[in-house]
Amino acid sequence: MFPSFDYRQWYQTDVTTLGQVEKLFLDVEPDDELYFRGMANYDFVCISTFYRYFINSRQLKWSEKDVGFKSMVLLPEIDMEEYKSLSFRILDDFYDNLLTQGSKELSLDTIAYLAQHYGLPTDLIDFSYDPKIALYFACCEMPEHDCSVYMFDIYARVKEMMQLCGSGRIGYFCKPDGTLMNEQEREQHAKQMCTELDRDGLPTITPIIAIDDIKYGQRILNQKGAFIYHRNSVPMDQLMYTASTHTSYQGRRVYKISKELKPSILQTLDEKYEINESFVYPSLEADQNLEIIEKAVAKTKENFGL
């Protein structure tokens, strides 16, 4: 059993023709504002692989929670300390196994990216800055189901926090020497809190991917990947689709795509843009570190019975 989230329909656009697909996804140039996530079944909500694993591996009580604007959603009651501990133990074990295979030292962010993209459960939720990649993932499975593509400014919360901290509207911050930060320092402090994965930091952040750290992860590069880290019992849909009831909100939309369009969409993506399974999941020849990563993943799965 997984959560549902009907309130995303406030921002829903139904896509029933190939003309709409071309206008909304194929004729759009990627930018650094809007990001996209494709899901093969429209009924799926925006939860992480670790969230799925955790609630499936336990008998949890479910209760209704208010997720904003008096919107009640049935959600599992999760011990977040247990949840957090296990999620980081998996990452730590994966990193130990990478080092055993000869990996260089990696940041916690990069460890999480690799774990996510190569099959371990994490609290990262995949997005792409290319709508065509999201469209592929929406259409590549479950031909019997309508699918969806989420559009969201994943850095909106970061920019908002930087503005609030910079202006002093939520208080002032001190440097290690006890002196007050100036406006620029407060903005940088907010950016760091909202973009850097920290074991004791915020439960929801949007990492800024350093290309040099993932240049050996061809899968992430091909998928033009971006992530939101979300460690919460309430799905990401709450941040995207109950933050406001105004459907004109810039950069927030869920597209429901008819299942009848999936074959034609996949054909177009393959023939016109060369986006297909072999591109989003490159082979050993294209992904030089694939063997090392897969061995580390396999050992971690064995250790945790995943």
PDB file of all heavy atoms in Angstrom, residues 14 52 84 90 95 120 131 143 151 161 170 180 210 213 216 233 266 273 290 298:
ATOM      1  N   ASP A  14      -4.529  17.411 -18.765  1.00  0.00           N
ATOM      2  CA  ASP A  14      -4.688  16.135 -19.459  1.00  0.00           C
ATOM      3  C   ASP A  14      -4.064  16.230 -20.846  1.00  0.00           C
ATOM      4  O   ASP A  14      -4.339  17.165 -21.612  1.00  0.00           O
ATOM      5  CB  ASP A  14      -6.162  15.764 -19.580  1.00  0.00           C
ATOM      6  CG  ASP A  14      -6.783  15.420 -18.245  1.00  0.00           C
ATOM      7  OD1 ASP A  14      -6.030  15.063 -17.321  1.00  0.00           O
ATOM      8  OD2 ASP A  14      -8.019  15.524 -18.100  1.00  0.00           O
ATOM      9  N   ARG A  52       9.460   3.670  -0.236  1.00  0.00           N
ATOM     10  CA  ARG A  52       8.728   2.463  -0.664  1.00  0.00           C
ATOM     11  C   ARG A  52       9.232   1.234   0.081  1.00  0.00           C
ATOM     12  O   ARG A  52       8.453   0.417   0.562  1.00  0.00           O
ATOM     13  CB  ARG A  52       8.892   2.255  -2.174  1.00  0.00           C
ATOM     14  CG  ARG A  52       8.284   3.331  -3.042  1.00  0.00           C
ATOM     15  CD  ARG A  52       8.325   2.921  -4.516  1.00  0.00           C
ATOM     16  NE  ARG A  52       8.223   4.075  -5.378  1.00  0.00           N
ATOM     17  CZ  ARG A  52       9.201   4.561  -6.123  1.00  0.00           C
ATOM     18  NH1 ARG A  52      10.393   3.970  -6.102  1.00  0.00           N
ATOM     19  NH2 ARG A  52       9.025   5.618  -6.873  1.00  0.00           N
ATOM     20  N   LYS A  84      15.578   7.342   9.388  1.00  0.00           N
ATOM     21  CA  LYS A  84      16.816   8.057   9.068  1.00  0.00           C
ATOM     22  C   LYS A  84      18.042   7.182   9.298  1.00  0.00           C
ATOM     23  O   LYS A  84      18.964   7.132   8.466  1.00  0.00           O
ATOM     24  CB  LYS A  84      16.895   9.321   9.919  1.00  0.00           C
ATOM     25  CG  LYS A  84      18.191  10.100   9.783  1.00  0.00           C
ATOM     26  CD  LYS A  84      18.195  11.288  10.727  1.00  0.00           C
ATOM     27  CE  LYS A  84      19.514  12.020  10.728  1.00  0.00           C
ATOM     28  NZ  LYS A  84      19.526  13.169  11.659  1.00  0.00           N
ATOM     29  N   ILE A  90      22.590   2.254   5.001  1.00  0.00           N
ATOM     30  CA  ILE A  90      22.703   1.688   3.652  1.00  0.00           C
ATOM     31  C   ILE A  90      23.725   2.468   2.837  1.00  0.00           C
ATOM     32  O   ILE A  90      24.578   1.882   2.149  1.00  0.00           O
ATOM     33  CB  ILE A  90      21.329   1.675   2.962  1.00  0.00           C
ATOM     34  CG1 ILE A  90      20.425   0.633   3.619  1.00  0.00           C
ATOM     35  CG2 ILE A  90      21.470   1.384   1.462  1.00  0.00           C
ATOM     36  CD1 ILE A  90      18.999   0.637   3.109  1.00  0.00           C
ATOM     37  N   TYR A  95      29.220   2.886   0.512  1.00  0.00           N
ATOM     38  CA  TYR A  95      30.489   3.600   0.369  1.00  0.00           C
ATOM     39  C   TYR A  95      31.663   2.713   0.777  1.00  0.00           C
ATOM     40  O   TYR A  95      32.706   2.685   0.104  1.00  0.00           O
ATOM     41  CB  TYR A  95      30.451   4.871   1.194  1.00  0.00           C
ATOM     42  CG  TYR A  95      31.642   5.783   1.010  1.00  0.00           C
ATOM     43  CD1 TYR A  95      32.297   5.888  -0.216  1.00  0.00           C
ATOM     44  CD2 TYR A  95      32.114   6.549   2.077  1.00  0.00           C
ATOM     45  CE1 TYR A  95      33.375   6.731  -0.387  1.00  0.00           C
ATOM     46  CE2 TYR A  95      33.195   7.404   1.916  1.00  0.00           C
ATOM     47  CZ  TYR A  95      33.829   7.489   0.681  1.00  0.00           C
ATOM     48  OH  TYR A  95      34.899   8.329   0.514  1.00  0.00           O
ATOM     49  N   LEU A 120      20.033   1.080  -5.403  1.00  0.00           N
ATOM     50  CA  LEU A 120      19.822   0.981  -3.962  1.00  0.00           C
ATOM     51  C   LEU A 120      18.719   1.949  -3.528  1.00  0.00           C
ATOM     52  O   LEU A 120      18.562   3.018  -4.124  1.00  0.00           O
ATOM     53  CB  LEU A 120      21.115   1.300  -3.200  1.00  0.00           C
ATOM     54  CG  LEU A 120      22.234   0.269  -3.335  1.00  0.00           C
ATOM     55  CD1 LEU A 120      23.495   0.779  -2.636  1.00  0.00           C
ATOM     56  CD2 LEU A 120      21.821  -1.077  -2.751  1.00  0.00           C
ATOM     57  N   PRO A 131      12.809  17.656 -20.390  1.00  0.00           N
ATOM     58  CA  PRO A 131      11.472  17.040 -20.340  1.00  0.00           C
ATOM     59  C   PRO A 131      11.366  15.767 -21.161  1.00  0.00           C
ATOM     60  O   PRO A 131      10.539  14.901 -20.859  1.00  0.00           O
ATOM     61  CB  PRO A 131      10.546  18.137 -20.889  1.00  0.00           C
ATOM     62  CG  PRO A 131      11.436  19.045 -21.670  1.00  0.00           C
ATOM     63  CD  PRO A 131      12.762  19.010 -20.978  1.00  0.00           C
ATOM     64  N   PRO A 143       2.357  -0.259 -20.033  1.00  0.00           N
ATOM     65  CA  PRO A 143       1.559   0.253 -21.158  1.00  0.00           C
ATOM     66  C   PRO A 143       0.064   0.267 -20.882  1.00  0.00           C
ATOM     67  O   PRO A 143      -0.685   0.960 -21.578  1.00  0.00           O
ATOM     68  CB  PRO A 143       1.907  -0.722 -22.296  1.00  0.00           C
ATOM     69  CG  PRO A 143       2.392  -1.961 -21.612  1.00  0.00           C
ATOM     70  CD  PRO A 143       3.082  -1.491 -20.375  1.00  0.00           C
ATOM     71  N   MET A 151       6.107  18.687 -13.490  1.00  0.00           N
ATOM     72  CA  MET A 151       6.965  19.832 -13.764  1.00  0.00           C
ATOM     73  C   MET A 151       7.055  20.669 -12.491  1.00  0.00           C
ATOM     74  O   MET A 151       6.029  20.967 -11.873  1.00  0.00           O
ATOM     75  CB  MET A 151       6.405  20.684 -14.903  1.00  0.00           C
ATOM     76  CG  MET A 151       7.280  21.881 -15.251  1.00  0.00           C
ATOM     77  SD  MET A 151       6.629  22.835 -16.663  1.00  0.00           S
ATOM     78  CE  MET A 151       5.234  23.665 -15.871  1.00  0.00           C
ATOM     79  N   MET A 161      14.298  30.545   0.576  1.00  0.00           N
ATOM     80  CA  MET A 161      15.018  30.598   1.842  1.00  0.00           C
ATOM     81  C   MET A 161      16.184  31.582   1.780  1.00  0.00           C
ATOM     82  O   MET A 161      16.469  32.282   2.761  1.00  0.00           O
ATOM     83  CB  MET A 161      15.526  29.204   2.213  1.00  0.00           C
ATOM     84  CG  MET A 161      14.445  28.260   2.693  1.00  0.00           C
ATOM     85  SD  MET A 161      13.637  28.846   4.207  1.00  0.00           S
ATOM     86  CE  MET A 161      15.005  28.775   5.365  1.00  0.00           C
ATOM     87  N   ILE A 170      13.617  36.164   8.814  1.00  0.00           N
ATOM     88  CA  ILE A 170      13.472  35.017   9.725  1.00  0.00           C
ATOM     89  C   ILE A 170      14.592  35.013  10.762  1.00  0.00           C
ATOM     90  O   ILE A 170      14.941  33.972  11.302  1.00  0.00           O
ATOM     91  CB  ILE A 170      13.419  33.683   8.958  1.00  0.00           C
ATOM     92  CG1 ILE A 170      14.665  33.481   8.107  1.00  0.00           C
ATOM     93  CG2 ILE A 170      12.171  33.597   8.110  1.00  0.00           C
ATOM     94  CD1 ILE A 170      14.714  32.107   7.462  1.00  0.00           C
ATOM     95  N   LEU A 180      27.855  38.822  13.775  1.00  0.00           N
ATOM     96  CA  LEU A 180      26.688  38.614  12.909  1.00  0.00           C
ATOM     97  C   LEU A 180      27.095  38.502  11.444  1.00  0.00           C
ATOM     98  O   LEU A 180      27.994  39.200  10.969  1.00  0.00           O
ATOM     99  CB  LEU A 180      25.700  39.775  13.073  1.00  0.00           C
ATOM    100  CG  LEU A 180      24.900  39.836  14.377  1.00  0.00           C
ATOM    101  CD1 LEU A 180      24.044  41.097  14.404  1.00  0.00           C
ATOM    102  CD2 LEU A 180      24.025  38.596  14.546  1.00  0.00           C
ATOM    103  N   ALA A 210      27.607  18.604  -8.698  1.00  0.00           N
ATOM    104  CA  ALA A 210      28.918  18.997  -9.221  1.00  0.00           C
ATOM    105  C   ALA A 210      29.320  17.984 -10.290  1.00  0.00           C
ATOM    106  O   ALA A 210      29.535  16.812  -9.998  1.00  0.00           O
ATOM    107  CB  ALA A 210      29.948  19.034  -8.100  1.00  0.00           C
ATOM    108  N   ASP A 213      32.099  15.551  -9.857  1.00  0.00           N
ATOM    109  CA  ASP A 213      31.898  14.451  -8.916  1.00  0.00           C
ATOM    110  C   ASP A 213      31.162  13.271  -9.545  1.00  0.00           C
ATOM    111  O   ASP A 213      31.181  12.169  -8.994  1.00  0.00           O
ATOM    112  CB  ASP A 213      31.120  14.927  -7.693  1.00  0.00           C
ATOM    113  CG  ASP A 213      31.970  15.786  -6.772  1.00  0.00           C
ATOM    114  OD1 ASP A 213      33.203  15.768  -6.933  1.00  0.00           O
ATOM    115  OD2 ASP A 213      31.396  16.468  -5.908  1.00  0.00           O
ATOM    116  N   TYR A 216      32.161  10.210 -13.789  1.00  0.00           N
ATOM    117  CA  TYR A 216      32.355   8.781 -14.014  1.00  0.00           C
ATOM    118  C   TYR A 216      31.029   8.023 -13.908  1.00  0.00           C
ATOM    119  O   TYR A 216      30.991   6.811 -14.028  1.00  0.00           O
ATOM    120  CB  TYR A 216      33.338   8.210 -12.979  1.00  0.00           C
ATOM    121  CG  TYR A 216      33.067   8.692 -11.586  1.00  0.00           C
ATOM    122  CD1 TYR A 216      32.086   8.108 -10.810  1.00  0.00           C
ATOM    123  CD2 TYR A 216      33.772   9.763 -11.061  1.00  0.00           C
ATOM    124  CE1 TYR A 216      31.806   8.568  -9.533  1.00  0.00           C
ATOM    125  CE2 TYR A 216      33.504  10.223  -9.782  1.00  0.00           C
ATOM    126  CZ  TYR A 216      32.529   9.625  -9.035  1.00  0.00           C
ATOM    127  OH  TYR A 216      32.246  10.093  -7.769  1.00  0.00           O
ATOM    128  N   SER A 233       7.604  11.681   6.186  1.00  0.00           N
ATOM    129  CA  SER A 233       6.496  10.732   6.026  1.00  0.00           C
ATOM    130  C   SER A 233       5.452  11.239   5.046  1.00  0.00           C
ATOM    131  O   SER A 233       4.624  10.471   4.560  1.00  0.00           O
ATOM    132  CB  SER A 233       5.830  10.464   7.383  1.00  0.00           C
ATOM    133  OG  SER A 233       5.296  11.662   7.923  1.00  0.00           O
ATOM    134  N   LEU A 266       7.334   6.782 -27.454  1.00  0.00           N
ATOM    135  CA  LEU A 266       8.608   6.062 -27.384  1.00  0.00           C
ATOM    136  C   LEU A 266       9.260   5.976 -28.760  1.00  0.00           C
ATOM    137  O   LEU A 266      10.487   6.114 -28.883  1.00  0.00           O
ATOM    138  CB  LEU A 266       8.378   4.655 -26.818  1.00  0.00           C
ATOM    139  CG  LEU A 266       8.032   4.582 -25.330  1.00  0.00           C
ATOM    140  CD1 LEU A 266       7.686   3.153 -24.932  1.00  0.00           C
ATOM    141  CD2 LEU A 266       9.184   5.115 -24.465  1.00  0.00           C
ATOM    142  N   TYR A 273      15.258  11.591 -31.340  1.00  0.00           N
ATOM    143  CA  TYR A 273      16.167  12.125 -30.330  1.00  0.00           C
ATOM    144  C   TYR A 273      17.151  11.093 -29.797  1.00  0.00           C
ATOM    145  O   TYR A 273      17.991  11.422 -28.955  1.00  0.00           O
ATOM    146  CB  TYR A 273      15.350  12.693 -29.160  1.00  0.00           C
ATOM    147  CG  TYR A 273      14.391  13.776 -29.580  1.00  0.00           C
ATOM    148  CD1 TYR A 273      13.041  13.484 -29.788  1.00  0.00           C
ATOM    149  CD2 TYR A 273      14.819  15.079 -29.779  1.00  0.00           C
ATOM    150  CE1 TYR A 273      12.144  14.472 -30.183  1.00  0.00           C
ATOM    151  CE2 TYR A 273      13.932  16.078 -30.171  1.00  0.00           C
ATOM    152  CZ  TYR A 273      12.595  15.764 -30.371  1.00  0.00           C
ATOM    153  OH  TYR A 273      11.719  16.746 -30.766  1.00  0.00           O
ATOM    154  N   LEU A 290      30.945   1.162 -14.309  1.00  0.00           N
ATOM    155  CA  LEU A 290      29.738   0.388 -14.053  1.00  0.00           C
ATOM    156  C   LEU A 290      30.039  -0.880 -13.253  1.00  0.00           C
ATOM    157  O   LEU A 290      29.315  -1.212 -12.305  1.00  0.00           O
ATOM    158  CB  LEU A 290      29.049   0.027 -15.378  1.00  0.00           C
ATOM    159  CG  LEU A 290      27.743  -0.764 -15.281  1.00  0.00           C
ATOM    160  CD1 LEU A 290      26.693   0.018 -14.510  1.00  0.00           C
ATOM    161  CD2 LEU A 290      27.229  -1.105 -16.685  1.00  0.00           C
ATOM    162  N   ALA A 298      25.701  -4.742  -5.293  1.00  0.00           N
ATOM    163  CA  ALA A 298      25.336  -6.137  -5.011  1.00  0.00           C
ATOM    164  C   ALA A 298      25.725  -6.532  -3.589  1.00  0.00           C
ATOM    165  O   ALA A 298      24.956  -7.228  -2.897  1.00  0.00           O
ATOM    166  CB  ALA A 298      26.004  -7.057  -6.024  1.00  0.00           C
TER     167      ALA A 298
END
